[in-house]
Amino acid sequence: MLSPACRRTVVFFSGGLIYSMIEILFRGYTHWSMSLTGGICLLIMYIRYTTHPNDSIVMKCFFGMCVITFFEFAVGCIVNILLGWDVWDYSHMYLNLLGQICPSYSGGWFLLSYPVAIACTLEVPPDEDTARNISE
């Protein structure tokens, strides 16, 4: 069995790889900043989902949507607006905020959070002390 630190490292790199593959599948390319963002988002979701396994699936999906949308906005403001790298531009999307986030993609993040929540729920051993995992 992996130590909690090793498990979280695997989760981080898996998040970066999976998000990059999804982006390549839908856009045809990705950017390294999105790999880091995907890793951070999946790690945060993993920690929340495994330490709160009894949250409803809707609450887990809502949490995931909020995490991803927050980081998409924060990273977008840095890489697209501040640095001018033009990694993405949602300015043509309805109700976008500074061209970095929009309700359409947030809805997609809600749906994408579902398989993550299910996988994390299946990963938690029933006898694991979840309070102990927070401090490790």
Side-chain angles (χ1 to χ4, degrees):
M1 179 143 208
L2 295 175
S3 71
C6 187
R7 194 175 325 145
R8 290 178 180 160
T9 302
V10 169
V11 168
F12 173 81
F13 284 109
S14 296
L17 180 65
I18 292 167
Y19 184 79
S20 295
M21 290 172 33
I22 290 169
E23 196 166 52
I24 291 168
L25 181 68
F26 286 96
R27 289 179 54 183
Y29 62 95
T30 191
H31 189 266
W32 65 265
S33 62
M34 294 294 87
S35 298
L36 292 177
T37 305
I40 291 167
C41 289
L42 184 61
L43 182 58
I44 290 170
M45 292 163 64
Y46 171 80
I47 291 169
R48 171 67 190 193
Y49 296 165
T50 56
T51 57
H52 295 82
N54 295 324
D55 286 352
S56 72
I57 192 68
V58 173
M59 183 57 71
K60 289 177 180 182
C61 291
F62 182 75
F63 178 80
M65 175 192 75
C66 290
V67 166
I68 297 169
T69 300
F70 170 80
F71 277 96
E72 183 177 37
F73 183 73
V75 171
C77 286
I78 295 168
V79 302
N80 294 326
I81 296 172
L82 186 65
L83 298 175
W85 291 351
D86 298 323
V87 177
W88 72 88
D89 180 8
Y90 297 158
S91 61
H92 64 284
M93 301 294 288
Y94 183 67
L95 295 176
N96 74 83
L97 180 60
L98 300 176
Q100 304 311 304
I101 58 173
C102 67
S104 298
Y105 279 89
S106 292
W109 305 143
F110 182 90
L111 297 174
L112 186 64
S113 296
Y114 180 78
V116 174
I118 297 299
C120 289
T121 300
L122 296 173
E123 195 272 339
V124 176
D127 60 335
E128 185 170 320
D129 180 9
T130 55
R132 182 179 56 85
N133 273 344
I134 295 172
S135 63
E136 291 180 351

